[in-house]
Amino acid sequence: MYSEKVMDHFTNPRNVGEIENASGIGTVGNAKCGDIMRIYLDIDEQGIIKDVKFKTFGCGAAVATSSMATELVKGKTVQEALTVTNKAVMEALDGLPPVKVHCSLLAEEAIHAALWDYAEKHHIVIEGLEKPVNDIAEVVKNEEY
Ligand code: FES
C-alpha cells in the first residue's frame, strides 16, 4: 500500500522538532480527520530557508509528507518553497494511496501558513502566496497540544 520512501519517512522522520524564535510558524488542521501539522521556518536576510522543523499530530502519511516537505524546502528561497506543492511532495515519496492525498495537502498548507506568518511578521508580500484556508494558528495560539 505504501511506497518504501513513505515507510522510511514515517518510521524515521527528518526534521522533527521546534525552532525557537522561528521566522515563521504555520499550523494547519484537517477538520475531517482532526489531524494537525505545525511547521517552523528559520529564514535568513536573503530569504533563504536555513532550517525547518515540524510537529505533526496525525496519521502516518501526514508524518511522512511533513518529513519530505521539510527536506524539500530546506535551503530553498521563500519563492522556491512555493513550488513545493503537495504533488511535488507525493512524487518525491513515490506516490500515496488516493485516500491519503489530503494528508499531503496538509503539508503544503503548513508550509504556506508558515510562509504567510513570516511575510506578515516582516511586512512583505510573497508573490503567489495566499493565506491557507485551514490555517488554525488563531485557534491554537494559546493552547498546547
Ligand atoms: Fe488526516 Fe492523514 S488522515 S492527515
Side-chain angles (χ1 to χ4, degrees), residues 30 32-37 56-63 65 99-100 102-104 106:
N30 182 295
K32 278 200 188 128
C33 64
D35 292 348
I36 293 175
M37 195 180 287
T56 289
F57 296 81
C59 71
V63 172
T65 51
V99 292
K100 289 288 172 185
H102 79 270
C103 318
S104 63
L106 210 53

Side-chain angles (χ1 to χ4, degrees), residues 51-116:
D51 198 10
V52 46
K53 298 263 187 239
F54 82 90
K55 277 162 98 184
T56 289
F57 296 81
C59 71
V63 172
T65 51
S66 324
S67 169
M68 181 55 90
T70 57
E71 288 282 271
L72 291 177
V73 298
K74 203 186 255 186
K76 289 207 161 65
T77 65
V78 162
Q79 206 64 45
E80 286 166 346
L82 280 183
T83 65
V84 179
T85 59
N86 78 306
K87 273 194 191 134
V89 173
M90 281 199 297
E91 269 171 32
L93 286 169
D94 292 337
L96 278 175
V99 292
K100 289 288 172 185
V101 172
H102 79 270
C103 318
S104 63
L105 265 173
L106 210 53
E108 177 187 312
E109 289 206 317
I111 290 171
H112 286 188
L115 289 171
W116 184 268

Side-chain angles (χ1 to χ4, degrees), residues 1-75:
M1 184 176 173
Y2 288 117
S3 72
E4 266 177 39
K5 280 193 190 159
V6 173
M7 291 310 294
D8 177 32
H9 278 265
F10 170 57
T11 52
N12 180 25
R14 323 310 195 253
N15 308 311
V16 175
E18 297 179 23
I19 296 176
E20 244 182 82
N21 303 318
S23 318
I25 302 174
T27 308
V28 293
N30 182 295
K32 278 200 188 128
C33 64
D35 292 348
I36 293 175
M37 195 180 287
R38 181 174 284 174
I39 296 246
Y40 300 81
L41 297 175
D42 180 18
I43 301 170
D44 71 10
E45 297 80 35
Q46 277 78 43
I48 293 168
I49 298 170
K50 299 303 259 185
D51 198 10
V52 46
K53 298 263 187 239
F54 82 90
K55 277 162 98 184
T56 289
F57 296 81
C59 71
V63 172
T65 51
S66 324
S67 169
M68 181 55 90
T70 57
E71 288 282 271
L72 291 177
V73 298
K74 203 186 255 186

Side-chain angles (χ1 to χ4, degrees), residues 110-127:
I111 290 171
H112 286 188
L115 289 171
W116 184 268
D117 183 46
Y118 164 75
E120 274 199 326
K121 280 180 182 152
H122 292 79
H123 310 288
I124 57 168
V125 174
I126 300 174
E127 210 178 311

